């Protein structure tokens, strides 16, 4: 139903910022829960952030290591979800993936749609 394309990755110095964007083609995803995951070499895919809709309210969730530094947001008019990443650390280096329509937002195996990933590299 939806194809996702990430953009905004790159190489930054520690302490810098990047803003990732995930653009959806096809139908609007206003009612989809959306998540960001990352995967570093040799490591399993890790939950980063998610945004869900229930009781007429958007809720956001973050893994502890990014709380206070990363912000997930949606722009339904543009069919995009973003991840603003501030105060980046070398341990944030990974391929970042946008995903949509989970059963459990923490579990990458339950998402229905995935983007191709975008590389984020943070130098020390």
């Amino acid at each position: 139903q939806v194809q996702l394309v990430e953009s905004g990755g790159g190489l930054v110095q520690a302490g810098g910022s990047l803003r990732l964007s995930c653009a959806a083609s096809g139908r609007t995803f206003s009612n989809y829960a959306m998540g960001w995951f990352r995967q570093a070499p040799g490591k399993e895919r890790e939950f980063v952030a998610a945004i869900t809709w229930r009781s007429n309210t958007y809720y956001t969730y973050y893994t502890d290591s990014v709380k206070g530094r990363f912000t997930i947001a949606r722009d339904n008019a543009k069919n995009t979800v973003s991840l603003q990443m501030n105060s980046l650390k070398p341990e944030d280096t990974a391929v970042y993936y946008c995903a949509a329509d989970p059963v459990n937002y923490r579990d990458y195996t339950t998402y229905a749609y995935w983007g191709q990933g975008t590389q984020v590299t943070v130098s020390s």
Side-chain angles (χ1 to χ4, degrees):
Q1 295 286 341
V2 176
Q3 186 167 355
L4 307 175
V5 179
E6 301 95 334
S7 62
L11 173 64
V12 298
Q13 303 286 343
S17 297
L18 284 173
R19 188 174 188 270
L20 306 184
S21 182
C22 175
S25 62
R27 62 173 291 172
T28 179
F29 60 19
S30 62
N31 292 324
Y32 288 158
M34 303 289 296
W36 286 96
F37 289 78
R38 64 188 181 187
Q39 189 163 23
K43 296 185 178 179
E44 65 183 359
R45 191 165 298 188
E46 176 189 21
F47 169 73
V48 177
I51 184 164
T52 66
W53 173 257
R54 64 180 186 271
S55 301
N56 299 313
T57 303
Y58 282 112
Y59 295 86
T60 58
Y61 306 88
Y62 302 92
T63 192
D64 286 346
S65 65
V66 309
K67 287 180 180 177
R69 300 189 298 122
F70 291 12
T71 303
I72 187 171
R74 313 181 70 137
D75 185 340
N76 290 330
K78 299 184 184 299
N79 272 355
T80 60
V81 61
S82 66
L83 186 69
Q84 178 67 45
M85 305 186 295
N86 298 326
S87 302
L88 283 161
K89 304 174 181 179
E91 50 263 46
D92 295 318
T93 295
V95 176
Y96 283 70
Y97 297 91
C98 176
D101 197 16
V103 176
N104 178 349
Y105 71 85
R106 303 176 190 269
D107 185 352
Y108 75 90
T109 69
T110 74
Y111 280 76
Y113 305 101
W114 290 88
Q116 82 289 347
T118 186
Q119 177 70 47
V120 171
T121 302
V122 184
S123 61
S124 61

